[in-house]
Amino acid sequence: GAGVSQSPSNKVTEKGKDVELRCDPISGHTALYWYRQSLGQGLEFLIYFQGNSAPDKSGLPSDRFSAERTGGSVSTLTIQRTQQEDSAVYLCASSPGLVNTDTQYFGPGTRLTVL
Amino acid sequence: AQSVTQPDIHITVSEGASLELRCNYSYGATPYLFWYVQSPGQGLQLLLKYFSGDTLVQGIKGFEAEFKRSQSSFNLRKPSVHWSDAAEYFCAVGAGSNTGKLIFGQGTTLQVKP
C-alpha cells in the first residue's frame, strides 16, 4: 500500500517568503507528526495531531510556524517569513494512533532551503 | 526532561564484522525505546522497538537491541555487517505515556569497509 507522501520534495525560497509543506499520511492513520532534521540539531519534534484532539504544538520553534490537519487526513506545515535557520529537511510521520508504542511511518521529507 | 545520547557520531566497520551502536537515554519511568535507520535518500525506517517484556529485542535486517535499565542504555547490535547496512542510525525515546512523540538522539553514521 501507499506510504506517507510529502510534497514538494525540494523547496527553495527567499528569506522572508512564506512556504507550505504538505503531508499525506497513510490511509486510516489517526496520528500525524512533523519533525525537522537539520545539521547540528538532529531530529526535532515539531507538532503532533491525534484524531480530533487539540494538537501538541510544544515543539514549534516560533510563532512563524503553524500546522493544520484537514479532515483528519492531509496536513500542511506553514512557515511564515522564512529565515535562513529554517533551512532543514521537514519530515512527516503517521501511525495508527492506537497506542503510544505504535510504529511511526516516515515520509521521504521536504528539503527546504532559504536563501 | 527526556533525552537521548548517541556517543558515537561516526563508526566504520569492515564488512562481516560485528557492530554495536550505543544509545543512552534519560527518562524517569519505563521508557519506550526505538531504533530507526535512514539510508541515503530514504526516509526513516523502524528497525525495532522496546516497551515492555523481554529486554532483548529482535528487529528487521538481523538487528537486535538490549534494554539495560541499570545502565540507561539501549544498544543496537548486529553480528555480521553487510555493505548495505551503511546508513545513519537514530535511537529515540517516547516522550511520555500520554503522547506518541519521539525524542531522537543525534544519530550515528555507519560506514562499511569492503
Side-chain angles (χ1 to χ4, degrees):
Chain A
V4 177
S5 61
Q6 294 185 243
S7 60
S9 55
N10 281 283
K11 176 72 176 179
V12 180
T13 190
E14 294 179 347
K15 177 181 173 181
K17 301 283 190 182
D18 298 351
V19 295
E20 287 188 349
L21 312 181
R22 177 187 168 104
C23 172
D24 283 88
I26 293 172
S27 178
H29 281 190
T30 62
L32 187 147
Y33 308 79
W34 284 97
Y35 295 88
R36 179 170 70 174
Q37 185 173 22
S38 55
L39 289 175
Q41 297 296 323
L43 267 160
E44 304 171 277
F45 165 79
L46 296 177
I47 188 168
Y48 161 46
F49 297 89
Q50 170 53 33
N52 295 321
S53 302
D56 177 353
K57 305 179 183 180
S58 60
L60 294 179
S62 78
D63 58 8
R64 296 186 296 105
F65 287 72
S66 63
E68 63 176 20
R69 189 177 185 191
T70 54
S73 180
V74 171
S75 177
T76 302
L77 177 69
T78 301
I79 308 173
Q80 296 179 309
R81 305 180 302 282
T82 52
Q83 304 294 312
Q84 289 183 331
E85 61 262 30
D86 300 334
S87 296
V89 176
Y90 289 82
L91 297 170
C92 176
S94 71
S95 73
L98 299 175
V99 292
N100 291 328
T101 53
D102 279 341
T103 297
Q104 294 183 26
Y105 296 86
F106 283 79
T110 294
R111 181 175 297 277
L112 175 66
T113 303
V114 182
L115 302 177
Chain B
Q2 301 89 348
S3 66
V4 176
T5 301
Q6 293 180 246
D8 305 305
I9 296 173
H10 191 276
I11 282 183
T12 300
V13 300
S14 297
E15 190 169 15
S18 63
L19 172 70
E20 182 169 30
L21 302 182
R22 296 184 290 164
C23 173
N24 294 97
Y25 66 90
S26 173
Y27 188 73
T30 299
Y32 303 149
L33 294 162
F34 305 80
W35 275 100
Y36 280 84
V37 61
Q38 186 176 36
S39 300
Q42 304 291 314
L44 278 86
Q45 181 183 23
L46 181 72
L47 287 174
L48 47 78
K49 61 184 177 183
Y50 169 82
F51 52 93
S52 67
D54 193 345
T55 57
L56 185 62
V57 180
Q58 301 298 319
I60 62 171
K61 304 184 181 186
F63 285 92
E64 66 178 26
E66 186 170 14
F67 169 59
K68 292 186 178 180
R69 183 188 301 276
S70 62
Q71 298 178 18
S72 298
S73 69
F74 189 56
N75 294 349
L76 182 71
R77 301 192 295 245
K78 186 169 185 177
S80 178
V81 169
H82 188 262
W83 63 267
S84 61
D85 293 324
E88 190 161 18
Y89 292 80
F90 293 93
C91 181
V93 64
S97 60
N98 61 348
T99 178
K101 72 183 185 186
L102 299 177
I103 308 299
F104 284 88
Q106 294 283 47
T108 298
T109 300
L110 173 65
Q111 183 180 0
V112 180
K113 293 191 301 185

